[in-house]
Amino acid sequence: MQSTDSPIFKSVAVVMFFIVNLFALYLLFRGHNMPGGGFIAGVATSVAVILLSFGMGLEAAQKILRSDPIRIATWGFLIATLSGVLPMFFGLPYLTTFNYKAYELPVIGDFYIGTPLSFDIGVYMVVVGVITKVIFVIAESTSQEHRLVRIAESGYCARSEEPIEEDPLRKSEEVPIHPDK
Amino acid sequence: MAASGILIAIFAPLVGMVLLALLGERLKTNVRWFALPFPLLSFALIVLETIGHSAGTQNFIHVGSWIPGLGLDFLILIDGLSLFFGLVVSGVGVLIFFYASQYLDDHYAHHDRFYAYLLLFMAAMLGTVFSGNLLLMFVWWELTGIASFFLIGFLHNKAESRAGARMAFMVTITTGLLMLAGIMLVSEVTGSFNLNEILSQPIDPSHSLWVAAFLLIAIGGFGKSAQFPFYFWLPNAMAAPTPVSAYLHSATMVKLGVFLTARIYPMFSEVDLWTPVLTTIGLTTFIIASVFALISHKLKAILAYSTVAALAFLISFYGMAPAAGVQWDLMHIQNHVFYKGCLFMVVGIVTHCTGMTDIRQLGGLRKRMPLLATITAISAASMAGVIVTFGFLSKDYALAEKFDYMTEYGSFMPAMPLVLFILGSILKVAFSLRLFWHIFMGEEPEAVGKHFHAPSFGVQLSPLILAVATVFFGLFPSLLQGFYEKLAVPGLHAELKPNSLYLWHGFDNIAFQLSAAILAIGALLYFVLDRFTGWRWEGIPKAIRLDDAFEWGVARIPKFGNLVNQSVRADTATAYIPIISATFIAVFGAYIVYNPAVLGALAGKWQMPFHEAEVIALLTATLIAVAAQGILIASRWTTQLIFTSIVGFLITFYFVLFRAPDLAMTQILIEAATLIMVLLLLARFPRRAQAGEVTGKAQALLKTSNSVIAIGVGVIVGSLTLIFGLAPSAPIGPWYIENTLEKAYGTNAVNTILVDFRALDTLLEVGVLLIAGLGILALLMRRKRTPAEMREGAHGQGGLGIDPEPKR
């Protein structure tokens, strides 16, 4: 997606990106005690990233994530798995939780730190990774970002198969997908 | 102490694998010198353990519980059998790692992966043989299959490597799963997976479950050891680099079936089927494989079939064991390890130096490679059973045992084993002679000299060590008597007579006379074949090749799937929905017609809303229904989409009414994300297609039937909600709410259920999410249907699923 022409939307998208993400982190960290949690926070962050990609363009938004979202998701899965493995070193069953209560922290107040939090962070990362990746790929192909599509293909498409998306630079005999443009 | 040594021996290669996998890329070919210490360490530790082992004992060491709920304990069993196999695996491992370091040159890419896979395999093998828990053994067992898959497919740009890897994997894993079923039955009868508990129980050997367990576990062993009818995978596995063939597919992994037979001997040897099954399968395979080894032309295929034959002999050997227990089984195994490992390495060197893989292309290499010729002569002689080699002893004692079986205790076809064994041994002599003669003797073909380059001494060192050992122990076998006495396993081995392992038993010994006759007839057979046929045939006839049949069957599976797909699929989802819904109505309708009394349960369930909250809920529900009607009325996709979103947001409100803020928040965010995604997707469709979708008016009849179906489903689901939804008999919710702070240190019960009480569910769901994400990517980037295929319609060649074979 090319970045939008509207300067208002652009500025608002950037500001909103930070606000929504802040809200997402808030949801993530308070999840254990109040409504919230890794899954919701992950969806919120994904929505924020997508909003940003509408404002600034897909390429810029992907740069902000710094790596392939699937990579983030995989690391998240690893973190979630490992936070369950940790108790096994102490002879406890898999996924036993450890909690440490931090009393009266400034601003935050009483707070539990422990494996549920790292588990939730893992969930958060998986959700962010999967949702943003899927939406990015769809957005790339619908907005004719052939270069980005080809980058994604090099990672996820078997060489013997042809991608589903039309690329005028590569093929010509197909029925055009966007006849009215 | 004992346990820690063995544990280090098992896990050191695993650590090595991880290290090599992470760092190996930078070390390039030097990675070989970093791989070698791990087998050395394991070997040294197991040698120490063997020295400290007291004869005839079994030590079970409980390291820890892995999954207590399943009865999976990390139980290590140290006895003669496990130590012997541990020595073989790690000892041959050292030789193979060294051989590989000399053998793999710059022509091979990814040395780091190669050694990492080898180390993984070695760890899995050691884990298997030292397991005292059957489930634990199964886990390691399958891990060896996985490592073997990677190693066979190591040269993955070659089609035969991929096919061989897939075939080996499918055969060994499938039979392994049958073995798992057998293990389950064992635990069903005895209540435990731990061998010490199983063996201490009195078991009725005619118990039907017990017999079934034996058969299933035996199939697992047959699959791994490439016995009839599974033998076809082993020759195809020879697509692997030679060090792999020498290590996995002759010396160690394929011996697991033999190991398993020995391991379950104390459990199942009383079963009536023990002798018939093992003897029949073993001897059938023995003869088939010996014939195939004689008529094959590829160097590695000859050795592969001879390996199958040797394994078959070992399995039938356990099958015919006398009631008192077996003797000298370890000697037979050791003999095979010595000569077969050596011969594999030799043919690897020959192929490496000449570029030839077919025995008919070779000849006269004795002048160019005198050392290798000597090594081969010794090992081939051992395979044939010529005196002064270790193989002679093995054959001598085997003949004596078969003779005893015939005359003394044989209950199942007493004379058959002796006859078949003699027959197979004659064939063995013939192909041993052929292997040596056709590579090293005779005239040298011109083509051999063209590409020839001499092998280094280093690459010949490992086979040399094995050949020297073959002769040394062939001459001084009595040195091993103490070793075998030490490694005796209670319940498996009979007591050995003192000083009963010696070379010379005299001329008037029936075994010696038979052995000499076998050599003579075998040599005669070779000369007759050589003289009168000239080896002019194309290898094993197509008609009797089971691997072709297997590939044919595998190729049918996607074809069958394609057939089913083409006969039932429709291109639009709307075609499926009426069918599914109508089935739903038919099932419930039939139930109500059959049992009209259930309608009585509806009585008194419906109450008019009374409280303020209930009125609001009713209003919300009405609004949801109205918004849903909007989807039907709207004609453009985008408008329909907006109505769908309205439904979603109203459901959110419904969640708020029922005090579920987590659900409400999730619903809002998901609605937002879904809306964006679907809008983006709609942008994919050309306007023309949208228009087509809108103008295609449904026929009146179809419309009516669809409405009837929709109303029917609504009525049924509504009634079901009324009947079941209002009063759960034993709610589990309150327990979580009461315990959430106490047990999970959180006040949000929804979240503590997710991350604490039912964290495993969440973890797996997240895993599913990840898999689904990757699946979506794969689908999005799939092949596009060409316009011609589009015109063919729903039943055309699919752009879905597996590509059918290309049309010629």
Side-chain angles (χ1 to χ4, degrees), chain B residues 422-443:
Chain B
I422 291 173
L423 200 61
S425 298
I426 291 170
L427 294 166
K428 217 166 162 181
V429 172
F431 68 70
S432 304
L433 197 56
R434 182 186 180 211
L435 187 73
F436 173 72
W437 207 271
H438 284 213
I439 297 178
F440 292 102
M441 307 304 276
E443 291 294 308

Side-chain angles (χ1 to χ4, degrees), chain B residues 506-530:
Chain B
F507 281 114
D508 53 351
N509 176 313
I510 183 78
F512 177 77
Q513 291 158 3
L514 282 174
S515 183
I518 288 170
L519 279 178
I521 300 172
L524 188 67
L525 175 67
Y526 166 76
F527 283 115
V528 167
L529 281 174
D530 199 43

Side-chain angles (χ1 to χ4, degrees), chain B residues 225 524 763 790:
Chain B
S225 277
L524 188 67
L763 184 67
M790 292 288 254

